[in-house]
Amino acid sequence: MRKLRIIQHATLDGVIQAPGSLEEDSDGGFRHGGWIAPHGDPLVKETILEAHGAAFDLILGRRTYDIWSGYWPKAESSPIADGLNAARKYVATSRPESLAWGPVEALGRDLVEAVRGIKAAEGPDLILWG
């Protein structure tokens, strides 16, 4: 059985929204996008790289998939970019026809059953982002 790891950037007061850039996610009037960059630390980068391991597949929410698919395929080659681009992406979405950043599969309507099936299948560990 594959392990499922969850990696999430969150502030101490519970903000998860838009850690990457100012314009990443302004829903609800959120004006503090890119909040993680000023607090970057080499240990955080090292920990994230270590958590991903040599090979992994991804489980992504649709919004995370859309944000990442606009960034990672164009990113400069690096261990994290290369790993994310190579990983199979399982996406929670009601618009499977618009999944272009692959390899990719839509999870379907029953997310719980889909994740159970993916965990039971052969393959690398799973990482859930977003």
Side-chain angles (χ1 to χ4, degrees), residues 22-39:
L22 285 173
E23 64 283 342
E24 181 178 341
D25 178 4
S26 58
D27 279 7
F30 188 73
R31 299 182 326 263
H32 305 289
W35 57 266
I36 201 167
H39 309 289

Side-chain angles (χ1 to χ4, degrees), residues 5-127:
R5 293 184 245 156
I6 299 172
I7 301 175
Q8 190 64 55
H9 294 296
T11 64
L12 293 175
D13 60 352
V15 174
I16 295 173
Q17 190 170 358
S21 69
L22 285 173
E23 64 283 342
E24 181 178 341
D25 178 4
S26 58
D27 279 7
F30 188 73
R31 299 182 326 263
H32 305 289
W35 57 266
I36 201 167
H39 309 289
D41 182 286
L43 182 58
V44 171
K45 182 177 180 179
E46 181 181 320
T47 302
I48 289 173
L49 286 171
E50 184 179 307
H52 283 84
F56 56 90
D57 286 344
L58 292 168
I59 297 179
L60 301 171
R62 182 60 200 229
R63 293 184 77 188
T64 301
Y65 175 86
D66 287 345
I67 291 166
W68 285 20
S69 67
Y71 178 81
W72 288 111
K74 301 173 209 157
E76 187 174 315
S77 179
S78 69
I80 192 72
D82 297 346
L84 292 172
N85 286 319
R88 175 160 299 283
K89 295 116 183 118
Y90 297 97
V91 183
T93 183
S94 58
R95 301 183 330 254
E97 69 283 353
S98 62
L99 299 174
W101 177 44
V104 64
E105 293 180 32
L107 290 172
R109 293 196 178 276
D110 189 343
L111 297 177
V112 172
E113 192 56 39
V115 172
R116 281 186 183 138
I118 295 165
K119 282 184 67 182
E122 290 293 318
D125 285 351
L126 300 159
I127 297 176

